[in-house]
Amino acid sequence: MHIVTCAAPVNIAIVKYWGKRDETLMLPLNSSLSVTLNPVQLRAKTTVAISREFDKSRMWLNSVEQNIDNPRLQNVFREIKQRAYRCHSEKNNCGNREDMLNWHIHICSENNFPTSAGLASSAAGYSCLVSALAYLFGVDGEISDIARLGSGSACRSMYGGFVEWDMGRCNDGSDSVARPVASNEHWPELRALILVVTDDNKKTKSTEGMQKSVNTSELLKTRVERIVPHRINEIKEAIRDKDFDRFAEITMKESNQLHAVCLDTFPPIEYLTEVSRRIMNLVHRFNKLCGRTKVAYTFDAGPNACLFLLEEDVPRVLSLIRHFFRPVNSCFESFIHGLPIEVP
Ligand code: 2P0
């Protein structure tokens, strides 16, 4: 038996991915950009074992057995095995490893955060699984496109720091890969606060929500063609210059536009709750009171907030949050994939 355990971090999109041009290859309508959070506070951990003794492949997520026939999972297995054959035949290194490709796989994965509450759990999960499988089967080179086959945003969790997922142009998806834009050491003062408003499962899964938006939202078309390409360039400049004001404004506008697209979808999709909207209002009021932008919010396909701010403002913002939001269940403070700190 061969066994390996990997951990992979959550990534939070600043420029959002919403909509696919190919549902099987998971090719997006637009490029996106994210920051990778510290894997100590929010991460998926996956153990993969392969053995000639296993009579079938099996998978458990947070101790509950899952259906292994899931087409996305099967696509990932198929792609990993094809690349493994290619890698070993190039290196003239078949034999043992090639034999292993026919063995059954057991996967055991767990998250240390709510699984379906819009905290990118599938991203961390698939990124982790692909890293573990690639290690076991000796696949090297670009593998973010394999993670993408499991869940689009998973390709961004293959790197730390600031990461762009280039939408690519090829029909086979070979150029739709993640690339690091800047390392976590580039902007060490930047912090993220994750406010867990609820750990309930979301009503509309991202995949289904995206399909509905692609079919019905006019705003999504304008966004993809005219807005996102500029925003990607702008946010990369803001990151390069460590310009927090600009970074914060683009981040909040992106989040607002994602949720505007969701409301423009017919029938509309609502991920934000009353508490989410109160968090947004508080951020705007706080920034106004300070006379400059100190905090930015972003929300994905769920009501939980991610706030971005600089290290010096963390104590003040945390006490404000604690004062106004008793319903917030938990709050994780995270470096951008940097050294671990204590969770308050
Ligand atoms: C993102 N989200 O860029 C956007 C923002 C949610 C809102 O990527 O269908 O779980 O598996 O590719 O990656 C969530 O979508 O969807 C997501 P699939 P995924 O992070």
Side-chain angles (χ1 to χ4, degrees):
M1 182 161 79
H2 298 263
I3 187 161
V4 65
T5 299
C6 287
V10 160
N11 74 77
I12 304 286
I14 303 300
V15 176
K16 309 288 189 186
Y17 148 55
W18 197 253
K20 298 181 185 68
R21 63 179 201 280
D22 185 314
E23 295 275 340
T24 309
L25 291 175
M26 313 284 272
L27 301 179
L29 281 174
N30 62 270
S31 297
S32 55
L33 197 142
S34 60
V35 296
T36 303
L37 299 186
N38 187 305
V40 172
Q41 283 98 21
L42 296 162
R43 55 112 187 98
K45 196 163 92 178
T46 300
T47 300
V48 179
I50 50 173
S51 165
R52 68 168 87 243
E53 310 295 325
F54 294 155
D55 57 350
K56 60 175 185 168
S57 292
R58 299 176 73 179
M59 181 171 83
W60 294 262
L61 175 58
N62 294 328
S63 310
V64 179
E65 187 155 12
Q66 309 288 312
N67 179 9
I68 200 92
D69 294 329
N70 166 347
R72 292 181 176 200
L73 202 56
Q74 292 300 328
N75 284 348
V76 166
F77 289 160
R78 192 169 41 247
E79 192 58 34
I80 279 276
K81 288 184 180 187
Q82 275 174 6
R83 299 240 187 138
Y85 274 119
R86 225 179 297 149
C87 281
H88 302 318
S89 50
E90 273 166 17
K91 290 181 197 157
N92 234 350
N93 175 23
C94 300
N96 262 356
R97 279 266 168 90
E98 197 163 314
D99 184 34
M100 276 164 55
L101 290 173
N102 298 318
W103 297 356
H104 289 294
I105 305 171
H106 281 189
I107 300 162
C108 196
S109 193
E110 50 131 61
N111 301 325
N112 62 351
F113 55 90
T115 295
S116 294
L119 283 174
S121 57
S122 61
Y126 272 107
S127 151
C128 204
L129 175 65
V130 168
S131 303
L133 289 171
Y135 182 84
L136 270 182
F137 291 124
V139 175
D140 39 38
E142 177 65 60
I143 53 170
S144 72
D145 55 334
I146 310 181
R148 188 200 74 226
L149 294 174
S151 186
S153 53
C155 66
R156 299 188 311 234
S157 275
M158 302 300 281
Y159 297 98
F162 300 83
V163 183
E164 179 181 3
W165 172 15
D166 186 341
M167 63 179 282
R169 299 277 163 198
C170 300
N171 288 338
D172 66 358
S174 53
D175 57 350
S176 187
V177 295
R179 293 197 194 97
V181 167
S183 85
N184 61 297
E185 283 151 20
H186 168 68
W187 200 351
E189 306 81 18
L190 191 65
R191 294 288 182 281
L193 290 177
I194 307 291
L195 310 185
V196 181
V197 171
T198 173
D199 55 5
D200 286 351
N201 284 3
K202 55 193 171 202
K203 281 180 279 176
T204 310
K205 289 193 183 304
S206 305
T207 310
E208 186 194 337
M210 284 186 210
Q211 284 166 346
K212 288 184 173 165
S213 298
V214 170
N215 291 334
T216 62
S217 170
E218 292 296 319
L219 178 57
L220 181 64
K221 290 190 186 73
T222 309
R223 166 179 164 71
V224 162
E225 286 165 17
R226 301 213 211 127
I227 299 170
V228 176
H230 297 293
R231 284 203 175 145
I232 290 271
N233 290 335
E234 271 187 278
I235 200 93
K236 283 204 262 189
E237 283 173 18
I239 293 166
R240 183 197 62 201
D241 300 341
K242 296 193 247 179
D243 180 342
F244 185 78
D245 274 24
R246 208 163 162 215
F247 176 86
E249 186 177 324
I250 301 167
T251 298
M252 290 189 276
K253 283 183 169 175
E254 262 300 298
S255 173
N256 294 342
Q257 193 166 86
L258 167 70
H259 295 282
V261 165
C262 289
L263 285 183
D264 188 47
T265 300
F266 198 81
I269 306 163
E270 277 185 273
Y271 288 117
L272 304 181
T273 63
E274 190 49 38
V275 179
S276 319
R277 281 185 279 271
R278 280 177 53 210
I279 293 171
M280 290 163 68
N281 286 336
L282 182 69
V283 167
H284 286 298
R285 270 170 38 218
F286 179 71
N287 286 339
K288 197 170 171 194
L289 206 71
C290 294
R292 56 172 300 193
T293 311
K294 290 274 190 184
V295 191
Y297 54 75
T298 189
F299 296 83
D300 284 340
N304 298 318
C306 176
L307 304 186
F308 289 102
L309 66 173
L310 297 177
E311 183 182 16
E312 63 197 21
D313 296 315
V314 168
R316 201 146 57 117
V317 172
L318 265 181
S319 59
L320 201 69
I321 295 288
R322 290 215 180 95
H323 179 75
F324 283 105
F325 292 103
R326 302 227 173 267
V328 171
N329 291 336
S330 37
C331 180
F332 303 95
E333 180 182 352
S334 185
F335 277 71
I336 308 305
H337 197 182
L339 294 169
I341 58 165
E342 236 175 84
V343 179

